[in-house]
Amino acid sequence: MQKKTAIITGGGSGFGREVALKLAKKGTNITVVDISRENGEETVRLCKELGCNAIFVQADVSKVEDVKKYVAKTIDSFGKIDLFFNNAGVSGSGVRTIECSVEEFNNIVDVNLNGVFYGLKFVISEMLKTGGGVIVNTASLGGLVGIPTLGAYSATKHAVIGLTKTIAGEYGRENIRINAIAPGTNETPMVKAYPKKAIKQMAEAVPMGRLGQPHEVADVVCFLLSEQSSYIHGAVISIDGGAAAL
Ligand SMILES: NC(=O)c1ccc[n+]([C@@H]2O[C@H](COP(=O)([O-])OP(=O)(O)OC[C@H]3O[C@@H](n4cnc5c(N)ncnc54)[C@H](O)[C@@H]3O)[C@@H](O)[C@H]2O)c1
């Protein structure tokens, strides 16, 4: 991936940071996008320590103008976009679906679905100008099955899979390769914030008897972004210790 340029949304934490660090080790130019300046700048610092060029763009992926900004700043700094990890997302407060407030439901849709769409819209437009690119969208196990108490989250992640498959059909001939990942529960900061009892129960429900680690997801993302996966297109890759098999 020498001399390629990647944009990573949600790059300040969890899967986004892990992928940034792995790509940094390969010399990739990286734009870290996050709503959190502190976390995003820390990822950039860690990437630069590994010797790559990296910039931070503070952006809320649910705002069209912010998405245009992170795309424009990447083009200004690096000239093109080769790789896009369209990953930023939020979960939800964990109540049954009809108890979810309208505001919370709409916010989850804004970030997890509209934010993913805006990213695809403006990044693919740039990739088409330079001969193509590779995209990984972050869906979830919750994009394959329902997750009681995370209705909005599950709905948006199903939608991310729908967008991924549709765009695969639309742009494959123009050298845009796109896939989605469907991670099960992983020990990222998002999940570590849950009560300990809930974490234990989640681990027991997984066929492998444990939660995933962010680096296990990042390895798959980097594979999907690389030439090694050159004929994988429009796929949804589960990374879940077997959870989707049940
Ligand atoms: N952790 C899991 O078990 C798990 C499982 C399946 C899918 N996912 C998905 O993986 C992705 C990354 O999650 P994670 O577990 O690494 O979480 P995380 O909370 O560690 O990281 C998410 C990052 O996204 C950023 N972010 C949130 N809203 C944003 C917005 N509106 N604009 C820009 N940045 C924003 C946060 O600041 C944070 O840095 C999400 O889409 C999540 O739904 C996570």
Side-chain angles (χ1 to χ4, degrees), residues 43-217:
T43 301
V44 165
R45 191 188 66 75
L46 294 169
C47 287
K48 284 182 173 169
E49 262 183 16
L50 293 166
C52 80
N53 295 316
I55 59 165
F56 171 64
V57 182
Q58 186 173 31
D60 177 344
V61 298
S62 70
K63 299 201 163 88
V64 179
E65 291 311 313
D66 282 17
V67 174
K68 286 183 181 171
K69 179 178 76 175
Y70 76 64
V71 169
K73 290 206 167 178
T74 304
I75 299 297
D76 283 353
S77 300
F78 303 124
K80 62 186 169 63
I81 305 163
D82 303 292
L83 312 173
F84 182 35
F85 184 33
N86 198 5
N87 165 72
V90 290
S91 60
S93 59
V95 292
R96 287 200 290 175
T97 303
I98 65 164
E99 290 154 22
C100 181
S101 71
V102 169
E103 291 73 22
E104 178 177 311
F105 193 95
N106 286 337
N107 179 54
I108 294 169
V109 170
D110 279 345
V111 177
N112 291 7
L113 175 55
N114 295 345
V116 166
F117 164 65
Y118 301 150
L120 293 169
K121 180 172 174 61
F122 297 108
V123 169
I124 290 175
S125 298
E126 289 300 327
M127 286 176 166
L128 290 172
K129 294 177 196 166
T130 54
V134 187
I135 300 167
V136 174
N137 290 327
T138 301
S140 170
L141 173 63
L144 299 170
V145 298
I147 306 271
T149 77
L150 290 178
Y153 178 82
S154 180
T156 57
K157 294 300 187 178
H158 277 77
V160 167
I161 290 173
L163 274 178
T164 305
K165 291 179 175 176
T166 301
I167 286 177
E170 292 171 340
Y171 291 97
R173 284 174 186 79
E174 284 157 277
N175 204 29
I176 304 287
R177 195 163 63 77
I178 183 167
N179 292 292
I181 53 164
T185 311
N186 275 260
E187 288 189 73
T188 61
M190 184 189 265
V191 167
K192 281 183 177 164
Y194 296 167
K196 279 210 163 42
K197 194 174 160 205
I199 295 178
K200 191 162 176 275
Q201 282 171 347
M202 287 187 287
E204 279 164 3
V206 176
M208 285 181 71
R210 67 172 178 86
L211 299 184
Q213 296 300 319
H215 72 85
E216 295 176 301
V217 171

